[in-house]
Each structure stands twice: as structure tokens, then as C-alpha cells.
Amino acid sequence: MELVFALVIGALTSSGVYLLLRARTFPVVVGLTLISYGVNLFLFSSGRLATGGQPILGSTESYSDPLPQALVLTAIVIGFAMTAFVVVLSLRNLADNEDDHVDGRQGERPEKPEQKSEEERSQ
Amino acid sequence: MNHWLIAPILIPLLGGVLQAFMGYAPISLRRTLALGTTVLLLVSTIVLLVMADDGSYRLYAFGNWEPPFGIVLVLDRLAALMLVMTAVLALFAHLFSIGGADEGNRQFHGLFLFQLMGLNIAFMTGDLFNLFVAFEVLLIASYGLLMHGGGTARTVPGLHYVVLNLVGSAVFLISVGMIYSVTGTLNMADLAVRVLLLSGEELELVKAGGMMLLVVFALKAALLPLCFWLPKAYARATAPVAALFAVMTKVGIYAILRVYLLIFGDDAGALANLGMDWLFPLALITLTMGVVGSLGAQSLKTLVAWQVIISVGTLLAPIALGSEEGISAALFYLLSTTWTVAGLFLVAELVASQRGSALDKIVTAPRMRNRTLISVLFLIGAVAAAGLPPLSGFFGKLLILNSVTSGPEMAWLWSVLIIGSFFTIIAYSRAGSIVFWRTVDGHIEEPKPLGGNLRAATGALIGLSLVIVAFAGPINEYTDATAAQLQNRAAYLEILQTPMVGEEN
């Protein structure tokens, strides 16, 4: 179980990092989501993996640590809110710049007049 | 248990919730309530400062859960200092925002107060996971504030800021998970005890976790190479927001001070001074980078944003060396630089409002309105920021220079800090002489008159550098005592023995 778990976390995180380094906001958002899945699973495993354990002392033979579960819940809630925000922000970026490149408008660069780039730099 | 400790968190929380529900109330009512909340917050933090000045630790355990099982708030001299610094800054930034910057978004005051709540939780918490939650609270409010005022110019830097901080949060969670998986605790005091008992593989895991934690704090503090998001984001934020953000990088510095002195301090056995040998050179390079950036700045706000990075480098260098005098000097400089930089952001906004279409760009333009007042404010701010006598920046830098013991570190710190300050002076004089003196004939349309609260807020923040000089003795005594308290780990660990309510007999 440990091996499968580790492979899943590794696959999620590495694909997340790959997508995060893309230049468009959509893959970046998906990458962030994948990373947060990986992180949540990792956090969950910090209480050791066990099957059939309950987080209450005395209810079963082996008990599982309740704290990582609480941490993961908090992390999920926060991660969910942040993802929602970043989606809205990406849409705003798309609307403002008519381009979903993470650095704003890119497509018009060749025919962009000199003055405009000067003005943007000094802002 | 001391119930006062929850006040700096509850006051902005309740004030912010109130604001959230009255988005459609008349703006004067919202402003009065919001400013009242900030004043109340300042009062409560001063009460806490007076309480903390006796040098003991005070504890508030949520739900009466005894540490290390529950989450605790801990008040000591360092926390109280940060609280008061933030509350003073917030009051003047808030006053400035009432000059018109708060229009256009009904939730500005609510976000502002939630941001303060997040900052205060971060300064008071004694729990690593709670620190993560505090970071998230202040970050999500800061995302909103950064976007405040609209304009397409803010979308791209805002997107970078949000994505970077989300990655930072992920790394924070991973490091927390690594530390928890080995030590089984996240309470800072309990962690400081547990790390001494580790050996072998477990030690390596905590070491990796601790280094990743340093990366997260360095991202918050904008240490090179994690600082390139800052100038664009800060320079484009609304002025009072940028002023409040002057304290955001200091949260990272506070977290480094707290976690690395307590958990990975001198007595931490195999983990003693984890990462500090990395921090010193990085801090000096950050300082250099900031100076280079400020020399190349094309607008006043960008110039001040690079000053934030310079001060991060200046602060982290003595902290990385870890001597008691160095930490005391860094805390003194922290107070001075935070207020000065915030004041300069406000001055840059005043300049932008009085120069027509030239805004705060460092270019020749027709003579601005209200030049005398604004130029004097800029002069005082620039002198304090660059570290010239007789203002507070000079004393802060002098204390830092004095605190290093001779050796290669001294040679590096002295040369980088002094040469860096020299070039900072050049950057400020270039900017100031072009913006204020080199004028061309031309007509600028009559700007909005400078409101009294704009003048008062800017003047007060800039004037605080004079106040710091006037009270340099008492402030220095306080920072000395703070540094001594930080170095004395054993006293912090005693909070684990604090009796809970119902146990006191």
C-alpha cells in the first residue's frame, strides 16, 4: 500500500509541477489543483497508513492518528477556496488582456508600436 | 490563561464581519466604524505591549485545551512589538484610504480588517499549523486588496502573486507534514523539546522539513531568488494597500525569527542553526539586488518597492548571524524601516495625485501642486530610508553594523551595507531631483485638493522616524530585552506547564 500511495503522490505532484510551468493560465490552475491533491494525500500519510483503525482510543485494536485528518480537512477547505479564487482571477486576466497567457497579452507583440511597450515598462 | 490575548484577533474579526454585512450602508458610516475598529485594535495592542514588557510569557489556549494538544496563542515581547508596529501602520494606512482609495469596492474595509486579523494571528500563534492558517487568512485578504481599485495593470502581477503564494502554501503543508510525521506534534514549544530526541533517519526528515519551511518563509519575506514578484505587485497596488503590505514581508522575517530561534536554535543539538549559513549570503545578495533595482526604477512606487527588498536583506543578515545584539539591532531597524517605507508609498501616491498625467514616473513634468509639503515629506522619508543621520534609519543601520563581531562576516556585511546605502542615496537623489526640481513649462489641470487626512496620515508615518529617534533609548532597551528573551529558549518551553482554567489551585 505504501508503494502505491507514494507513486500516486509522486505522479500527482510531478504532473502538477509540469503543468504549473506552462505559459497559459488554464494548465497552471489545473497544475495547482493537482499539487494540492498530492499535498493533501501526503499530509494524510503523515499519520501513518493503516486500515481499519479508528481515531478513538479503545474502540478498535489499532487506532489511527486523528490530527492529520483534521489538518487535511483544513487544507482541503483552504485549497478549494484558493482554487476558486485563482479561477476567477484567470478569467479576469483573459477578459482584460484577451489572452490567457500568464504574462498578459502576448499575441500582438510583433505589430505592437514602440511607444506602447515603453509605456508598459515604465508603469 | 490570559483572555486579553484574543483581543487583537477578535476586534478586527468582528469589525470585518460587520463591514461585510453593511456593504450598502452609507460610506461615512462604514468609514467611521472601520477606523474605530483600527483605533480599538491599536489600544488593545498597546495594552498587550505593556503586559508583555514584564518579560514573562502569556498563554491563551483555545477551548481550554492544554498545550501541546490544543492550539495556543502566546504573547511575548517580540509578538507584542510586531502587533503594535502593525496596528500603528494600519491606523495611518486606513486613515489615508479614507481619502478616496476605499471607493469603488464595497468590501475594502472588510478585507483590510481581515488582513489585520491574519497578521495578528500569525504574530501570536504558538502552533505551526495555525501559522499556516494565519498565512492563508492574510493572503486571501491580500489578494483582494491587491486587486482593489481595478485597472487591467493589476491583473498580471496579481496573478503571479496568487500563484506563487499558492505554491508556497503547498510547500508549507509538505514541510508541516514531514515535521509532524516524525515528531507527532505541531506546537512550537513541544517541537523544540522533541527535536532534541531525534536521531538517524528521523533527524534527516525534520532537517528536510525545516529547510522547506525556510523556503516558504523566504518567499513571504521576498528573499532572493524568491523576490521578483514583489516590485511589480507592490508598485501597482493602491497606495494604502502598498503601505500595509510593507508589513507583509516582515511576517516572513518574524516567522524565521520565531521558528528558527526556538525550534532550530543554538541548543537544538544536531539541528542547531539549521539553514542560517544559507541565509547570510542570500541576505547580502538580496540587499545588493534591491539596490540595483532601486537604481533602475522608473517610478517612485517601484523605487520604494525595491526599498522593501533592501530592508529585507538588511534585516536578515544580522538575524542569520544570530547574536543577541544583532537581533536587537534588526528589531530596531525593523520598526524604523517598516514605517518609513509605508510612508514613502503614501508620499509617492501624493506625488502621483498632484502631477497630472506624469503620475509618479521619474520624468520631467510641469511643476506639481503642493510641491513644498510633498518634497519635504519625501526628503525626510528618503533620508530615513537611505540611513543618513539624524533619522531612525541611520541608528538602525549603525546598530546592525555595531553588532557584528570581527571576522569575514563583518567585512562582508560592512562593505555591502555601506556601499549599498551609498547607492541608495544616489537612487533617491536622482529620483527626488528629477521629480521635484527639474520641471518644464506646461499646464496640469487642477488636481483634487489634498485632503487633511491624506496629509495627516503621510506626515505621521514619515514623522514616526523622528519619533523613533527621540525615543531611541527606551525602544532600544525594549529590543535588547526582546532579543534576550528570544535567546532564552528554556523560558518559552515553560508555557507547556501553564495551568488551564479549572486546574489553578
Side-chain angles (χ1 to χ4, degrees):
Chain A
M1 183 165 66
E2 276 81 2
L3 183 68
V4 175
F5 204 80
L7 283 176
V8 168
I9 295 176
L12 279 174
T13 314
S14 50
S15 2
V17 170
Y18 174 77
L19 286 175
L20 190 69
L21 298 173
R22 304 275 87 196
R24 303 275 155 188
T25 50
F26 181 70
V28 168
V29 174
V30 176
L32 279 172
T33 321
L34 288 183
I35 288 183
S36 79
Y37 292 161
V39 168
N40 288 341
L41 286 176
F42 178 82
L43 208 55
F44 186 72
S45 71
S46 70
R48 305 293 184 276
L49 299 174
T51 42
Q54 288 185 10
I56 298 166
L57 275 178
S59 58
T60 43
E61 296 249 320
S62 64
Y63 68 95
S64 61
D65 191 348
L67 195 74
Q69 305 178 6
L71 300 187
V72 170
L73 264 181
T74 317
I76 289 174
V77 172
I78 292 177
F80 186 72
M82 295 295 180
T83 310
F85 184 78
V86 90
V87 166
V88 173
L89 194 57
S90 313
L91 287 175
R92 173 74 185 273
N93 181 42
L94 178 63
D96 280 355
N97 296 312
E98 292 164 349
D99 193 343
D100 71 340
H101 195 279
V102 289
D103 284 329
R105 192 173 304 181
Q106 297 287 307
E108 295 173 5
R109 184 158 276 176
E111 62 258 59
K112 201 195 292 183
E114 276 306 302
Q115 219 178 353
K116 179 126 193 190
S117 68
E118 184 71 38
E119 183 187 302
E120 273 188 357
R121 228 185 308 143
S122 59
Q123 262 175 359
Chain B
M1 288 280 272
N2 186 319
H3 293 276
W4 268 101
L5 265 62
I6 194 86
I9 298 170
L10 273 190
I11 292 170
L13 174 67
L14 295 178
V17 169
L18 209 58
Q19 293 288 335
F21 280 117
M22 30 189 281
Y24 290 91
I27 193 160
S28 54
L29 177 64
R30 279 187 282 141
R31 283 172 170 172
T32 318
L33 274 177
L35 203 61
T37 315
T38 323
V39 172
L40 213 59
L41 175 66
L42 179 62
V43 173
S44 76
T45 57
I46 289 174
V47 170
L48 290 186
L49 181 79
V50 173
M51 269 170 33
D53 198 26
D54 66 357
S56 60
Y57 287 92
R58 282 177 177 77
L59 179 96
Y60 179 83
F62 283 101
N64 203 26
W65 281 90
E66 129 188 43
F69 304 109
I71 290 170
V72 291
L73 298 179
V74 180
L75 176 79
D76 63 349
R77 284 201 172 99
L78 177 64
L81 180 73
M82 300 299 288
L83 285 177
V84 172
M85 184 183 84
T86 310
V88 170
L89 175 62
L91 177 63
F92 293 125
H94 212 153
L95 191 64
F96 191 94
S97 76
I98 285 173
D102 61 342
E103 288 158 11
N105 180 345
R106 298 186 179 281
Q107 300 305 341
F108 175 83
H109 292 295
L111 286 172
F112 196 94
L113 292 172
F114 286 135
Q115 162 112 54
L116 290 179
M117 177 180 81
L119 286 166
N120 291 346
I121 301 176
F123 293 143
M124 306 262 297
T125 185
D127 186 279
L128 215 49
F129 194 77
N130 198 226
L131 186 65
F132 165 76
V133 175
F135 275 3
E136 294 306 311
V137 171
L138 72 90
L139 282 175
I140 199 151
S142 78
Y143 300 155
L145 285 175
L146 192 63
M147 296 294 145
H148 171 74
T152 52
R154 275 169 211 163
T155 323
V156 170
L159 188 68
H160 294 178
Y161 177 75
V162 173
V163 170
L164 264 174
N165 278 303
L166 286 182
V167 176
S169 308
V171 178
F172 198 154
L173 280 176
I174 293 175
S175 54
V176 163
M178 284 168 99
I179 292 175
Y180 179 79
S181 68
V182 176
T183 58
T185 181
L186 287 171
N187 181 288
M188 289 184 198
D190 201 30
L191 266 178
V193 179
R194 297 283 178 94
V195 291
L196 292 172
L197 311 172
L198 300 174
S199 60
E201 282 176 10
E202 298 185 330
L203 200 67
E204 298 303 320
L205 266 177
V206 172
K207 197 182 245 177
M211 290 302 274
M212 282 170 82
L213 213 52
L214 189 63
V215 172
V216 181
F217 295 155
L219 174 69
K220 308 286 177 214
L223 190 72
L224 197 94
L226 303 169
C227 68
F228 296 100
W229 55 271
L230 188 142
K232 259 192 188 171
Y234 279 32
R236 292 184 190 183
T238 326
V241 172
L244 183 67
F245 279 15
V247 85
M248 293 270 282
T249 54
K250 308 319 186 262
V251 180
I253 293 174
Y254 166 83
I256 290 177
L257 260 179
R258 174 65 83 212
V259 171
Y260 287 84
L261 283 179
L262 180 66
I263 303 176
F264 306 114
D266 286 335
D267 321 324
L271 292 170
N273 297 325
L274 180 71
M276 288 299 131
D277 41 351
W278 284 82
L279 202 56
F280 184 70
L282 283 179
L284 291 186
I285 303 173
T286 310
L287 212 175
T288 319
M289 175 80 209
V291 173
V292 173
S294 63
L295 280 172
Q298 306 212 358
S299 73
L300 282 183
K301 280 186 188 165
T302 319
L303 176 68
V304 186
W306 282 106
Q307 178 65 39
V308 175
I309 291 178
I310 297 178
S311 62
V312 168
T314 316
L315 284 167
L316 281 178
I319 289 175
L321 294 179
S323 71
E324 205 175 300
E325 298 81 37
I327 292 170
S328 165
L331 289 174
F332 187 93
Y333 185 68
L334 178 82
L335 206 59
S336 152
T337 188
T338 309
W339 287 340
T340 308
V341 165
L344 279 173
F345 271 122
L346 301 186
V347 173
E349 176 65 24
L350 292 188
V351 171
S353 72
Q354 301 296 312
R355 281 178 92 208
S357 59
L359 294 174
D360 63 331
K361 286 176 211 154
I362 305 178
V363 290
T364 51
R367 193 173 187 277
M368 71 173 75
R369 315 283 169 156
N370 296 308
R371 191 171 69 163
T372 320
L373 171 77
I374 297 175
S375 61
V376 168
L377 287 177
F378 180 80
L379 176 74
I380 300 175
V383 165
L388 289 177
L391 294 182
S392 58
F394 171 72
F395 290 99
K397 284 189 176 172
L398 196 68
L399 285 171
I400 289 176
L401 291 177
N402 247 334
S403 70
V404 237
T405 45
S406 51
E409 279 94 7
M410 184 183 182
W412 278 108
L413 184 64
W414 276 59
S415 47
V416 172
L417 191 56
I418 292 176
I419 297 174
S421 301
F422 174 68
F423 280 106
T424 320
I425 297 170
I426 294 184
Y428 279 110
S429 14
R430 171 181 151 269
S433 53
I434 293 177
V435 169
F436 294 107
W437 289 341
R438 210 179 296 167
T439 50
V440 291
D441 291 334
H443 174 72
I444 43 176
E445 54 185 285
E446 193 61 39
K448 272 199 290 183
L450 275 188
N453 47 1
L454 298 190
R455 292 168 195 245
T458 317
L461 266 183
I462 294 285
L464 279 173
S465 65
L466 297 168
V467 176
I468 294 177
V469 176
F471 293 99
I475 293 176
N476 199 21
E477 269 168 32
Y478 186 86
T479 57
D480 278 345
T482 311
Q485 193 184 26
L486 278 175
Q487 293 283 9
N488 182 5
R489 240 161 63 108
Y492 192 99
L493 303 187
E494 278 169 21
I495 62 160
L496 288 174
Q497 266 80 50
T498 316
M500 294 292 103
V501 172
E503 289 181 355
E504 292 147 347
N505 41 34

